[in-house]
Amino acid sequence: MAKAPVLTPQAEDFPRWYQDLINKAELADNGPVRGTMVIRPYGYGLWERMQQEMDARIKDAGAQNAYFPLFIPQSYLTREAEHVEGFAPELAVVTHGGGKELEEPVVVRPTSETIINEYFSKWVQSYRDLPLLINQWANVVRWEMRPRVFLRTTEFLWQEGHTAHATYEDARDYAAHIHKNVYADFMTNVLGIDVVLGRKTPRERFAGAINTLTLEGMMGDGKALQMGTSHELGTNFSKAFNTTYLSKDGKQELAWQTSWGTSTRMVGGLIMSHGDDNGLRVPPRLAAVQVVVMAIKGDEAVAKVREIGDRLRAAGLRVHIDDRTDTPFGRRAVDWELKGVPVRIEVGPRDLEAGTAMLARRIPGGKESVRIGSLADLLPTVLEEDQAQLLEESRERRESRTSEVTTIEDAAEAAVAGGWARIPWSTLGQEGEAKLAEQAVSVRCLVAEDGSVPDADDAPGTVAIVARAY
């Protein structure tokens, strides 16, 4: 009788595979309130590494971290009509506190444009105060009707950047800088996901923005996942909150603004982009544990793996020592495979006699015997090769499962079949976009024919990327 697989195979039931992996790899659990999640230590370690890599890039872009309250007066949200209309169905509102009804209800932060603008209007007085570049790492609440761990949860973790500028051009260029040099750089070079950079249609644009830039990744089942967004807010919030400054010419001017964010949704994207039927595969540049050194059995092996671990740490690698010889080796190996640690170094009595160790690579698969003394020099090269392989696989998937089409019917068919479609925006248009929505298919973004981000929705040669999405 065949042994049952640890995970439901992807080809059999992709959503079930996803949930199995989250459980078996000990990434997260469902919270006690519907739509919430408990992020377990290994899953939170992935998020911490994402934070570290992102935070460094955000600071290189000139932004500083700050923190704003979780509770927002309901009246703040009503000041920008399009914004409150866009978020109204998702709001969690507190009406009682301290045992009595509040004089004014407060909203649990769904995003912070309104409360941050309340303070920007105080802090910005002169052109000398601009640009004002702020980022915060926080949690937000959006009441989710169809929750899914990491992808859509009522409460999730994220970073949200908010900036104020003297001119439209400065704000536009900064939003584009975040989009390309912070988000795309991180997602491509650290997460190993081949994201498409594009412009959202007016239908998909962030509530209150004049333009939304997006990064879309193709998941293992061919669906799209919005990995992050960067918004040009124009002067919409400045008008609502009177965020003005005295220009060099001595005139009161409205500030031009941006906001931008990424969230724990990226953990879900990581799972669905790189995971296979054996579990997660973590890109080496992201991995909190790049190498696990395992003692198979015996006190001498335990001593040796600790020595190897120290040597590899000294070489700059992120290492975990697994010396739990009282737990069966096969069980431990399966656990590390599920967690997607890029490299396992396995050491047993026979290896000690030969001065070798078994090198197991999670991403391409396979094992080989290597000299223990060569590990510190060999592993950095191995890890970079595996990082490159994940990105190449992501790119090949997107390219092979994207169809060039000329009709709305063909675009819908490609998306329903589990792929993406590229169709001229002049052919599709807003009317065609509405027809696709009836089939749960959406325009993920607009791109130029050469793959760049178009300057305007109706720029000549603009192509719509069409897909089903998470």
Side-chain angles (χ1 to χ4, degrees):
M1 183 173 171
K3 187 177 180 181
V6 176
L7 303 175
T8 301
Q10 289 186 352
E12 183 179 311
D13 189 335
F14 194 85
R16 172 53 57 188
W17 166 85
Y18 176 81
Q19 194 58 52
D20 283 353
L21 178 49
I22 287 173
N23 293 334
K24 296 289 180 64
E26 299 180 338
L27 300 176
D29 210 339
N30 290 315
V33 175
R34 185 178 183 275
T36 62
M37 63 176 169
V38 175
I39 306 176
R40 300 184 68 175
Y42 191 74
Y44 198 80
L46 295 174
W47 175 241
E48 283 183 312
R49 286 284 304 141
M50 292 180 183
Q51 282 184 301
Q52 291 166 19
E53 292 283 349
M54 290 281 293
D55 197 58
R57 287 166 172 77
I58 288 168
K59 287 173 179 170
D60 283 346
Q64 294 179 297
N65 285 338
Y67 187 79
F68 293 82
L70 174 68
F71 295 122
I72 302 173
Q74 192 173 45
S75 59
Y76 284 18
L77 269 79
T78 61
R79 293 192 206 175
E80 212 291 325
E82 185 181 350
H83 191 66
V84 70
E85 182 180 345
F87 278 98
E90 301 175 309
L91 296 181
V93 182
V94 179
T95 59
H96 289 72
K100 52 187 178 180
E101 187 172 355
L102 302 178
E103 291 184 11
E104 178 185 355
V106 297
V107 172
V108 183
R109 171 176 56 215
T111 180
S112 298
E113 279 79 10
T114 58
I115 192 166
I116 287 178
N117 263 279
E118 176 73 12
Y119 287 87
F120 274 17
S121 66
K122 296 179 181 180
W123 298 343
V124 174
Q125 302 297 324
S126 161
Y127 69 90
R128 297 183 182 88
D129 300 321
L130 299 174
L132 179 56
L133 314 174
I134 296 293
N135 178 65
Q136 87 165 339
W137 292 94
N139 62 338
V140 293
V141 170
R142 298 178 186 176
W143 213 257
E144 181 56 57
M145 295 295 103
R146 296 177 293 115
R148 198 164 183 191
V149 174
F150 289 122
L151 300 177
R152 291 186 177 276
T153 50
T154 295
E155 179 192 11
F156 55 91
L157 306 179
W158 79 344
Q159 60 74 212
E160 52 177 316
H162 300 268
T163 70
H165 304 261
T167 66
Y168 159 74
E169 290 78 12
D170 195 37
R172 176 201 62 195
D173 292 348
Y174 194 80
H177 177 77
I178 293 293
H179 186 227
K180 180 179 180 181
N181 299 312
V182 174
Y183 291 166
D185 178 73
F186 166 71
M187 293 171 192
T188 302
N189 295 315
V190 179
L191 294 187
I193 298 176
D194 180 55
V195 290
V196 170
L197 284 69
R199 179 186 182 100
K200 285 291 189 185
T201 64
R203 179 189 182 98
E204 297 287 334
R205 193 177 292 157
F206 179 71
I210 62 171
N211 182 32
T212 290
L213 303 173
T214 184
L215 303 101
E216 303 286 331
M218 179 183 280
M219 302 296 100
D221 61 351
K223 288 185 179 180
L225 184 71
Q226 179 180 290
M227 301 284 290
T229 47
S230 182
H231 315 289
E232 297 173 44
L233 302 179
T235 57
N236 291 344
F237 289 88
S238 296
K239 290 173 184 174
F241 287 84
N242 194 33
T243 307
T244 61
Y245 69 96
L246 190 66
S247 71
K248 289 181 180 180
D249 299 330
K251 297 179 181 177
Q252 286 292 327
E253 303 281 358
L254 289 167
W256 294 81
Q257 295 184 276
T258 77
S259 67
W260 26 277
T262 57
S263 74
T264 38
R265 171 178 280 203
M266 291 191 294
V267 179
L270 177 77
I271 296 167
M272 294 193 297
S273 289
H274 299 320
D276 62 19
D277 285 347
N278 294 318
L280 186 58
R281 294 189 301 167
V282 181
R285 292 181 187 171
L286 176 74
V289 178
Q290 295 174 310
V291 182
V292 59
V293 189
M294 305 180 65
I296 296 176
K297 64 179 180 179
D299 293 341
E300 290 185 18
V302 168
K304 193 64 177 180
V305 298
R306 291 172 181 171
E307 177 190 319
I308 293 170
D310 290 341
R311 228 182 270 170
L312 296 181
R313 288 192 189 100
L317 300 174
R318 296 186 289 278
V319 179
H320 178 83
I321 304 301
D322 185 347
D323 55 7
R324 301 169 295 158
T325 53
D326 56 342
T327 300
F329 173 76
R331 176 180 169 183
R332 289 184 285 142
V334 168
D335 284 345
W336 289 117
E337 187 138 304
L338 279 166
K339 287 179 165 63
V341 171
V343 169
R344 298 195 311 274
I345 303 298
E346 303 169 356
V347 181
R350 292 180 183 176
D351 301 300
L352 288 174
E353 290 178 9
T356 61
M358 192 62 69
L359 168 62
R361 294 170 67 172
R362 177 66 182 90
I363 292 163
K367 290 186 176 185
E368 63 176 311
S369 181
V370 298
R371 302 293 302 177
I372 289 174
S374 68
L375 287 170
D377 292 329
L378 175 65
L379 288 181
T381 300
V382 164
L383 293 171
E384 282 302 295
E385 289 174 354
D386 293 354
Q387 178 80 30
Q389 178 173 328
L390 287 178
L391 179 60
E392 182 59 28
E393 288 179 6
S394 176
R395 181 175 294 116
E396 286 180 356
R397 180 196 308 128
R398 179 182 61 80
E399 291 178 348
S400 66
R401 297 176 72 170
T402 299
S403 305
E404 298 284 344
V405 302
T406 56
T407 69
I408 296 172
E409 292 74 20
D410 286 345
E413 183 179 342
V416 171
W420 290 9
R422 285 169 49 96
I423 182 171
W425 177 241
S426 58
T427 299
L428 184 64
Q430 293 185 19
E431 184 177 337
E433 184 179 18
K435 289 181 180 178
L436 289 176
E438 295 172 0
Q439 302 179 63
V441 176
S442 59
V443 176
R444 303 314 305 156
C445 61
L446 302 175
V447 299
E449 288 180 334
D450 63 2
S452 62
V453 181
D455 294 331
D457 302 339
D458 57 355
T462 296
V463 175
I465 305 295
V466 172
R468 284 191 163 172
Y470 285 97

